[in-house]
Amino acid sequence: MDDKRGILIVFSGPSGCGKDTVLKILKENNDNIKVSISMTTREVREEEVDGRDYYFVSEEYFVKKIADGEMLEYAQYADHYYGTPKAPVDEMLREGIDVVLEIDVQGAEKIRKIYPDAVTVFLMPPSMKALEDRLRNRGTEDEETLMHRLFIAEQEIRRANEFQYIVINDNLAEAVFDFETVVRAEKMKYSRNKNIISEVINNV
Ligand code: 5GP
């Protein structure tokens, strides 16, 4: 493993569990962490901005990007395509920037195979009831979509055992702190610091 390369962090968790909010604070606190901007075919929500929250594209465009080999991974979630453009992620990692992929469990499975040293974190709601309340309060989905998202949420939670770290989002500040702690600990792993011994010994 190259000591200077950034860490790739996969961040999953059910819809409505607060991933966006955790990441917003994380980015504000940490200049060296960037969140990859995904591409999606779903409709833009009121508060969202194209090119900041997602690249909102047509299905035709998305399918072409897959065919051209430009997607690192992609998945279909609730009848829409979501995927990670490859080039910006590779470039940031090369530059030593830590990159977070906020993706679903299907995407996480693919990334684990391509990048075995990726760090995987699952953001867990304190309960299904809390998740439902949060989704309802967000008010961005109609009842049918909301029920569908809750159904997917339960399937995703059942797969949390595939992740290395579980962060419970009961208290936002604590969840952010826990996430930062994971990144700090990962940075201290010997496997990411293989040059340290010779650097210390030779630097008299
Ligand atoms: P939402 O529509 O709520 O923004 O996202 C729905 C789900 O798609 C979330 O679980 C989110 O993490 C996931 N997602 C967002 N971007 C990507 C992506 O690039 N790839 C994959 N596999 N999932 C994504």
Side-chain angles (χ1 to χ4, degrees):
M1 219 184 291
D2 175 356
D3 286 10
K4 302 266 174 340
R5 257 179 92 77
I7 299 179
L8 185 62
I9 304 147
V10 172
F11 190 40
S12 299
S15 178
C17 73
K19 296 188 296 285
D20 285 338
T21 318
V22 168
L23 289 183
K24 187 168 175 285
I25 300 174
L26 192 84
K27 279 190 293 185
E28 284 165 9
N29 292 356
N30 300 275
D31 290 341
N32 199 50
I33 297 182
K34 298 261 184 297
V35 180
S36 154
I37 302 171
S38 293
M39 203 177 271
T40 185
T41 59
R42 87 145 155 70
E43 43 310 318
V44 50
R45 290 181 193 139
E46 208 175 14
E47 74 287 0
E48 289 178 328
V49 176
D50 186 29
R52 184 193 69 187
D53 300 291
Y54 280 106
Y55 297 109
F56 294 96
V57 301
S58 67
E59 195 164 317
E60 193 185 4
Y61 185 87
F62 198 107
V63 171
K64 173 149 187 353
K65 290 288 163 190
I66 299 171
D68 292 347
E70 291 183 30
M71 305 307 283
L72 182 55
E73 61 74 38
Y74 68 91
Q76 272 181 299
Y77 176 99
D79 302 331
H80 293 291
Y81 280 110
Y82 292 82
T84 308
K86 185 170 171 17
V89 172
D90 283 341
E91 193 182 321
M92 286 189 280
L93 291 175
R94 251 195 327 271
E95 286 172 2
I97 295 166
D98 301 324
V99 182
V100 179
L101 305 184
E102 186 199 331
I103 60 181
D104 78 330
V105 293
Q106 308 168 70
E109 188 176 354
K110 291 179 192 155
I111 294 296
R112 245 183 246 111
K113 291 189 182 129
I114 312 170
Y115 296 94
D117 60 327
V119 179
T120 58
V121 182
F122 191 90
L123 189 67
M124 187 68 100
S127 66
M128 287 305 290
K129 174 80 177 67
L131 187 67
E132 180 171 349
D133 289 349
R134 280 226 277 258
L135 269 176
R136 282 193 192 286
N137 291 339
R138 189 165 83 177
T140 49
E141 273 86 20
D142 59 36
E143 186 64 18
E144 193 187 343
T145 313
L146 190 140
M147 292 318 284
H148 187 39
R149 280 186 176 242
L150 273 178
F151 171 77
I152 301 173
E154 188 177 328
Q155 312 302 315
E156 295 201 290
I157 289 170
R158 288 185 193 281
R159 293 183 62 183
N161 59 317
E162 296 170 19
F163 289 75
Q164 294 164 324
Y165 295 96
I166 305 292
V167 170
I168 297 179
N169 190 12
D170 201 359
N171 171 298
L172 181 61
E174 272 179 34
V176 172
F177 178 75
D178 290 347
F179 194 117
E180 286 171 339
T181 305
V182 166
V183 178
R184 284 176 71 90
E186 284 290 332
K187 282 198 175 295
M188 286 184 268
K189 274 192 170 160
Y190 174 68
S191 56
R192 298 188 197 276
N193 293 280
K194 287 198 173 134
N195 296 332
I196 190 71
I197 298 175
S198 61
E199 274 174 20
V200 169
I201 289 183
N202 297 326
N203 190 3
V204 277

